[in-house]
Amino acid sequence: MKKINLVYILLIATIFSCKESSNVVKSEKKIAKIDSVTVKKHLYTLASDDMEGRMTGTPGIEKAAKYIENEFKRIGLSTYDTLKNYRQTFTFTDRRSNKEITTSNIIGILEGKSKKDEIVIVSAHYDHLGIRKKEGQLDSIYNGANDDASGVTGVLALAEYFKTKGANERTILFVAFTGEELGLIGSTHFGKGIDASKFVAGINLEMIGKVPSFGPNTAWLTGFERSDFGKIIQKNLVGSGYQLFPDPYKKFNLFFRSDNASLARLGVPSHTFSTTPIDVDKDYHQASDEAETLNMTVITQTIQAVAKGTESIINAKDTPTRVVLKEGK
């Protein structure tokens, strides 16, 4: 009788122990973070020689597209609008070669909680210059690590961060644009099919892999004076140790040279974050734009700053003023 009771007691204890263990596992919540290990993985993959410089319309950019698609799927993003997958595929005629090229924007969506019809877009372009053989030049692959594998890395890291956090009141659209180097082809195509009034802000990342002229823990923003988007970011970064400055390179007309311009022309307060001292950058549009030339700490801290700086916009506490362009300027 005593033996039976002992067995019974042990059995009950085991059941309760298993239940408690199960509850512990269920209660564990993944912490939303942006870490340098993940950042490095994305960057080195996208800027590898295997991607062959990611020229629009080539097998190289197709490899990059598949990588981004797989990451969107792993993270758990939904597909956009009526698309059956993450690809917005279209055909255009390249004005330089006069050839027809079929290519895709890669789009994933994280639906908002209370204001799902208000959209914030986080973007970067995943194309670059491909393979260009020049006499006397040993390296012919233009890897585009800073331009703009670094930006796409930011898009992927932010997608995972906000998905894990699960607190976005507004819908977030994560987009890797194609054809930027050929004249903002992908973002222009995307802009033709949207209701711009639903887009609250555009967060574009371009060349975020080097220490800016302002020093460590800083970035600059194109078109700072065209809306109060930048001031909102500055306010949110107070006390973080990170600072955002207006674009110091006005003569380069950078506001209109990245994908943010396609949405800004529709009135969306869409701006580009960058850290690169573009006036002295020796690797810009060169074969030397390799992953090894970039600073993982700079990229990681910049992505973290973008997450913190844009949080009040994503959570619907702040709404940037619209961009008004006069005669296309």
Side-chain angles (χ1 to χ4, degrees), residues 147-198:
D147 183 15
D148 190 25
S150 66
V152 178
T153 293
V155 171
L156 294 174
L158 289 168
E160 186 157 15
Y161 173 81
F162 285 116
K163 172 65 176 177
T164 302
K165 195 163 188 179
N168 56 297
E169 297 302 323
R170 285 173 166 145
T171 293
I172 313 175
L173 210 58
F174 298 95
V175 186
F177 285 122
T178 186
E180 191 264 5
E181 300 288 1
L182 297 178
L184 313 185
I185 300 297
S187 56
T188 299
H189 176 81
F190 174 82
K192 290 176 181 177
I194 67 169
D195 178 355
S197 67
K198 292 184 178 182

Side-chain angles (χ1 to χ4, degrees), residues 85 111 153 175 221 279 284 318:
N85 52 40
E111 193 172 85
T153 293
V175 186
L221 188 78
D279 58 333
Y284 175 64
D318 287 315

Side-chain angles (χ1 to χ4, degrees), residues 3 113 119 256 263 318:
K3 287 183 179 179
K113 297 189 173 301
I119 303 170
F256 292 103
L263 291 179
D318 287 315

Side-chain angles (χ1 to χ4, degrees), residues 58-224:
T58 66
I61 197 172
E62 173 60 20
K63 291 179 182 178
K66 286 180 178 177
Y67 178 79
I68 298 165
E69 280 182 303
N70 288 336
E71 287 301 302
F72 279 0
K73 184 177 181 179
R74 178 186 66 80
I75 292 166
L77 300 184
S78 303
T79 55
Y80 174 61
D81 198 25
T82 59
L83 298 181
K84 294 180 181 179
N85 52 40
Y86 296 117
R87 297 197 183 208
Q88 182 185 52
T89 302
F90 62 98
T91 300
F92 73 100
T93 301
D94 180 14
R95 65 190 181 194
R96 301 171 192 179
S97 65
N98 210 33
K99 292 181 180 178
E100 280 201 344
I101 297 175
T102 298
T103 187
S104 304
N105 293 322
I106 313 300
I107 307 172
I109 191 168
L110 184 58
E111 193 172 85
K113 297 189 173 301
S114 63
K115 298 192 175 184
K116 60 180 67 177
D117 290 332
E118 296 181 9
I119 303 170
V120 176
I121 181 170
V122 179
S123 64
H125 69 92
Y126 73 107
D127 66 300
H128 196 52
L129 304 179
I131 298 174
R132 296 184 173 187
K133 296 182 179 180
K134 294 182 180 179
E135 189 176 345
Q137 183 173 297
L138 297 177
D139 186 0
S140 59
I141 300 176
Y142 285 63
N143 301 77
N146 199 25
D147 183 15
D148 190 25
S150 66
V152 178
T153 293
V155 171
L156 294 174
L158 289 168
E160 186 157 15
Y161 173 81
F162 285 116
K163 172 65 176 177
T164 302
K165 195 163 188 179
N168 56 297
E169 297 302 323
R170 285 173 166 145
T171 293
I172 313 175
L173 210 58
F174 298 95
V175 186
F177 285 122
T178 186
E180 191 264 5
E181 300 288 1
L182 297 178
L184 313 185
I185 300 297
S187 56
T188 299
H189 176 81
F190 174 82
K192 290 176 181 177
I194 67 169
D195 178 355
S197 67
K198 292 184 178 182
F199 283 72
V200 174
I203 302 162
N204 192 53
L205 307 177
E206 177 90 67
M207 300 175 68
I208 58 170
K210 297 187 176 182
V211 178
S213 56
F214 297 106
N217 296 307
T218 66
W220 46 270
L221 188 78
T222 63
F224 193 95

